[in-house]
């Protein structure tokens, strides 16, 4: 069974999805949360059972507690069982994202090199775009090779805000200055 619960945060409305054992999704923004709620309420299984239930489980509550601590600058790492649905390649990229330290950034090209294909920066970008558990899997820490902010699931403003929480915006600005020398 899958569960989801919605919360208000300093980033706006979020939804956390999970099974009994693992966090599977993080939905950002009022519009997306509304769409997910509508899909859940309209989605019935063949036996009349819902495919997902809106319920705050212990795991979802813990994920929200850790997320809230992160947003308040009190937490640097998450201690949660994560299970994002994706291809083998996407999972390989997401595993690399989990290795980017708090307060640091990496480029799409650097991630591509780390997963074995320096020319696959676009594929890394697509894997980031498909990350179903943003923030917990920190795709916001990936920037352009030139130091620029590139697309983000929650929008560039949210990406900048997350990097500011971590103090990584300053590091990003230093990288831009070094590159421009």
């Amino acid at each position: 069974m899958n569960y989801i619960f919605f919360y208000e945060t300093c980033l706006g409305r979020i939804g956390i999805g999970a099974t009994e054992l693992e966090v599977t999704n993080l939905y950002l923004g009022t519009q997306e949360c509304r769409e997910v709620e509508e899909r859940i309420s309209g989605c019935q299984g063949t036996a009349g059972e819902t495919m997902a239930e809106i319920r705050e489980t212990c795991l979802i509550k813990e994920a929200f507690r850790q997320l809230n601590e992160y947003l308040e600058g009190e937490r640097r790492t998450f201690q949660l069982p994560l299970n994002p649905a994706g291809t083998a390649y996407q999972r390989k990229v997401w595993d690399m994202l989990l290795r980017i330290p708090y307060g640091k950034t990496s480029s799409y090209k650097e991630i591509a090199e780390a997963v074995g294909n320096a020319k696959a920066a676009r594929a890394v970008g697509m894997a980031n775009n498909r990350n179903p558990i943003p923030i917990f899997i920190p795709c916001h820490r990936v920037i352009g090779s030139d130091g620029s902010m590139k697309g983000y699931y929650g929008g560039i403003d949210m990406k900048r805000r997350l990097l500011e929480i971590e103090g990584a915006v300053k590091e990003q600005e230093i990288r831009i200055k070094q590159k421009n020398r």
Side-chain angles (χ1 to χ4, degrees):
M1 181 64 149
N2 294 311
Y3 303 96
I4 187 168
F5 200 76
F6 300 93
Y7 301 92
E8 291 299 325
T9 71
C10 64
L11 298 176
R13 192 155 192 238
I14 60 114
I16 299 174
T19 64
E20 293 283 345
L21 303 173
E22 301 159 317
V23 175
T24 57
N25 296 86
L26 178 65
Y27 303 98
L28 299 172
T30 301
Q31 180 64 33
E32 184 178 29
C33 288
R34 186 178 306 128
E35 290 170 7
V36 169
E37 279 183 286
E38 289 171 3
R39 278 197 314 265
I40 290 171
S41 63
C43 183
Q44 296 291 316
T46 55
E49 297 178 48
T50 57
M51 301 306 288
E53 183 179 327
I54 297 175
R55 188 172 86 180
E56 185 181 42
T57 65
C58 291
L59 177 56
I60 290 174
K61 191 174 192 174
E62 176 61 17
F64 175 67
R65 184 184 71 76
Q66 290 188 32
L67 178 64
N68 212 37
E69 288 175 355
Y70 166 82
L71 295 173
E72 292 173 1
E74 298 171 1
R75 174 176 286 276
R76 292 175 168 240
T77 61
F78 298 104
Q79 304 298 318
L80 296 166
L82 304 176
N83 188 13
T87 66
Y89 181 77
Q90 289 169 336
R91 286 177 167 273
K92 193 173 182 180
V93 169
W94 300 335
D95 285 343
M96 291 308 301
L97 301 182
L98 289 167
R99 296 178 188 177
I100 304 171
Y102 178 95
K104 300 291 181 188
T105 58
S106 188
S107 71
Y108 294 94
K109 182 180 178 183
E110 289 168 336
I111 299 295
E113 289 169 351
V115 296
N117 185 351
K119 296 182 180 186
R122 287 181 149 231
V124 168
M126 288 306 298
N128 271 10
N129 180 265
R130 301 275 189 248
N131 175 7
I133 319 175
I135 304 176
F136 294 131
I137 298 176
C139 53
H140 62 277
R141 295 180 186 153
V142 183
I143 60 174
S145 293
D146 62 357
S148 64
M149 296 280 187
K150 299 291 183 186
Y152 183 65
Y153 170 75
I156 297 296
D157 289 340
M158 185 179 292
K159 183 173 189 165
R160 178 175 298 282
R161 198 159 175 202
L162 294 169
L163 292 174
E164 286 172 350
I165 288 169
E166 296 184 16
V169 171
K170 290 177 186 152
E171 188 234 344
Q172 176 205 6
E173 291 167 357
I174 290 167
R175 288 179 70 168
I176 292 171
K177 287 176 185 170
Q178 288 173 341
K179 186 160 187 91
N180 289 336
R181 285 185 185 170

